[in-house]
Amino acid sequence: MEKRTFKNIGKAISLLGFGLMRLPLKGESPGDIDYGPAEAMVDRAIEAGVNYFDTAWIYHAGQSEVFAGAALNRHPREKFNLATKLWVRALESADQAEREFGQQLEKCKVNSFDFYLLHNLGEDAWDIARKLRLYELFNKKKEQGLIGNLGFSFHGSPDHLERVAKEYDWDFAQIQVNYLDWDAINAARQYRILTERNIPVIVMEPVRGGALAKLPTKAAEILTDADPTASHSSWAVRYAASLPGVMTVLSGMSNMEQVEDNVKTMTGFRPLSDGERETLERAATAYRSSGFIPCTSCRYCTPCPSGVDIPGVFASYNRYRSELAGANPIAKMIFQMTYSSLVPSEQAHNCTSCEQCKTLCPQSIDIPRGMKEVADFAAE
Ligand code: SF4
Ligand code: SF4
């Protein structure tokens, strides 16, 4: 497994990081993690040399940290670096932040976190973080040895990132980078803002919530023609991992097949050649022309008070757009099948345009508008 070192981090970190946010489930509830297969995936990753594991207060309805504590502590402490995040948006006081930090240590069954992040420092969360002096609070914990490295994750605009990055002496930062978003959400500028300041970058969503593993037909053909033996997600993972200044690329793995594919990609890692980069640019152009809604299924927008399954609705519509881009004559029928797998109370027509979800989407998707688009299409 390829490992990278950064002067300020002081230890070698595996280029593949395991994101503990899309673990296999036993039932429908996001908190109902299926420990057997999920622990087997963690074991295999550690065996292959993965030493960075990323969880958060909110993942799997609070159960991801509990799983991390159970699964990782079956291994020697030096085998894993544990990163978790504080959900800043919901904080009302510094005392609450202190309390939650203590609970996180307990849930994860560790005495300290190797990496600790202020989660999603968009403009709202940033105001809260500054008001509650969270950097100062957690920097003190770093001095006390309770945190190894202090950073933040981010989904906002480059201008706002510039403000956040220059305000404090961050050890690292986590941003969304993939070949589709490099231009689409200005990931290129975000990456430069961090690397120009020598802030090590942790990449999230390299496969865009799985969307770059299930490409629209035309985009898929471009990659398969270029290399029939490589999975489409391995192209996306290599794109992110080829960037200098990237410490680790997080993959939110859901099954053993994904673990094996990522391990294969990151063992004896081969950076992209210029020709492969050009191939990916062509695939990205084909993807964009499919008219997809850029949802990553992160579920930050849920629950909807009207019961709409927002990521489920967008996933079925994106499947349709992708089939349409591939000139599949039964694209509409495929949409009907996937859309009807949502129960009627979860479908787009239940959206009341209350806008509660709108500011919660890190991809800046106009969700009520998207719901109307899908509801109108489904009614056709
Ligand atoms: S705008 Fe629509 S989808 Fe969003 S929370 Fe309101 S009802 Fe739900
Ligand atoms: S609509 Fe936005 S917030 Fe909701 S699941 Fe998709 S990407 Fe996440």
Side-chain angles (χ1 to χ4, degrees):
M1 171 70 43
E2 178 94 358
K3 294 206 168 63
R4 290 196 178 157
T5 40
F6 289 80
K7 213 155 82 191
N8 66 325
I9 301 293
K11 49 177 149 179
I13 300 297
S14 58
L15 190 49
L16 175 62
F18 198 142
L20 302 169
M21 83 288 277
R22 291 191 178 94
L23 294 164
L25 299 176
K26 268 197 283 194
E28 294 286 305
S29 156
D32 200 7
I33 296 168
D34 196 352
Y35 271 58
E39 284 181 344
M41 289 159 60
V42 166
D43 295 349
R44 171 66 185 120
I46 289 180
E47 178 197 60
V50 172
N51 68 4
Y52 191 95
F53 292 82
D54 170 82
T55 179
W57 178 261
I58 61 162
Y59 290 169
H60 282 288
Q63 289 303 305
S64 173
E65 289 179 329
V66 178
F67 171 78
L72 290 170
N73 282 294
R74 292 149 58 250
H75 297 270
R77 185 66 180 90
E78 67 276 10
K79 286 276 182 190
F80 63 90
N81 292 288
L82 183 57
T84 194
K85 314 184 192 75
L86 182 76
W87 188 236
V88 175
R89 226 189 156 94
L91 289 178
E92 288 175 357
S93 66
D95 283 351
Q96 186 185 351
E98 281 272 11
R99 261 197 322 276
E100 289 185 6
F101 181 77
Q103 288 169 21
Q104 288 180 302
L105 289 172
E106 272 176 37
K107 283 163 82 179
C108 294
K109 295 188 186 142
V110 289
N111 298 322
S112 64
F113 292 113
D114 306 284
F115 294 82
Y116 196 74
L117 299 90
L118 303 186
H119 199 159
N120 194 7
L121 282 188
E123 305 211 7
D124 294 359
W126 178 237
D127 289 346
I128 295 169
R130 293 187 69 200
K131 191 170 125 215
L132 302 182
R133 298 176 59 78
L134 295 182
Y135 180 89
E136 290 80 355
L137 174 71
F138 289 103
N139 202 38
K140 199 165 278 172
K141 297 207 178 295
K142 194 174 132 184
E143 287 162 13
Q144 293 163 349
L146 295 169
I147 289 174
N149 298 280
L150 180 57
F152 63 96
S153 66
F154 190 85
H155 285 283
S157 70
D159 287 346
H160 181 52
L161 178 60
E162 195 126 34
R163 275 195 291 280
V164 175
K166 76 174 183 208
E167 182 88 8
Y168 299 116
D169 193 10
W170 301 102
D171 296 322
F172 67 101
Q174 181 169 317
I175 55 169
Q176 177 170 326
V177 174
N178 56 65
Y179 66 86
L180 203 63
D181 291 326
W182 190 245
D183 299 313
I185 63 160
N186 229 331
R189 208 176 131 212
Q190 296 192 23
Y191 165 79
R192 280 185 206 114
I193 288 169
L194 297 178
T195 49
E196 278 165 16
R197 288 187 160 73
N198 293 319
I199 299 175
V201 176
I202 295 187
V203 170
M204 61 180 153
E205 302 290 7
V207 192
R208 225 182 187 289
L212 300 181
K214 297 179 213 121
L215 294 168
T217 316
K218 276 188 190 161
E221 279 170 6
I222 291 169
L223 296 190
T224 305
D225 285 352
D227 185 350
T229 64
S231 69
H232 296 159
S233 56
S234 72
W235 279 89
V237 167
R238 283 181 66 213
Y239 178 88
S242 296
L243 293 163
V246 165
M247 181 165 73
T248 190
V249 176
L250 295 176
S251 178
M253 294 173 267
S254 303
N255 55 50
M256 190 62 92
E257 196 187 342
Q258 292 170 355
V259 176
E260 295 294 357
D261 192 41
N262 283 330
V263 164
K264 189 173 147 205
T265 304
M266 299 300 212
T267 306
F269 177 69
R270 257 184 330 113
L272 286 179
S273 67
D274 289 348
E276 287 172 324
R277 205 172 287 280
E278 191 269 332
T279 301
L280 273 181
E281 274 165 28
R282 284 193 290 122
T285 304
Y287 198 128
R288 278 187 214 104
S289 68
S290 70
F292 75 110
I293 294 172
C295 174
T296 62
S297 300
C298 68
R299 305 197 77 86
Y300 286 2
C301 55
T302 62
C304 157
S306 300
V308 178
D309 179 354
I310 300 169
V313 166
F314 287 153
S316 63
Y317 189 60
N318 282 343
R319 174 84 197 279
Y320 160 70
R321 299 298 316 193
S322 132
E323 298 294 340
L324 192 68
N328 187 342
I330 61 161
K332 273 196 180 175
M333 198 193 289
I334 290 173
F335 172 75
Q336 280 159 357
M337 274 161 41
T338 55
Y339 195 61
S340 60
S341 69
L342 300 170
V343 294
S345 62
E346 294 176 336
Q347 293 176 354
H349 64 271
N350 297 293
C351 171
T352 58
S353 294
C354 71
E355 303 212 334
Q356 178 181 301
C357 57
K358 206 169 159 181
T359 56
L360 300 177
C361 177
Q363 312 303 326
S364 304
I365 298 170
D366 185 339
I367 298 174
R369 199 167 141 204
M371 286 300 143
K372 184 164 181 342
E373 186 180 333
V374 182
D376 289 351
F377 178 70
E380 262 179 30

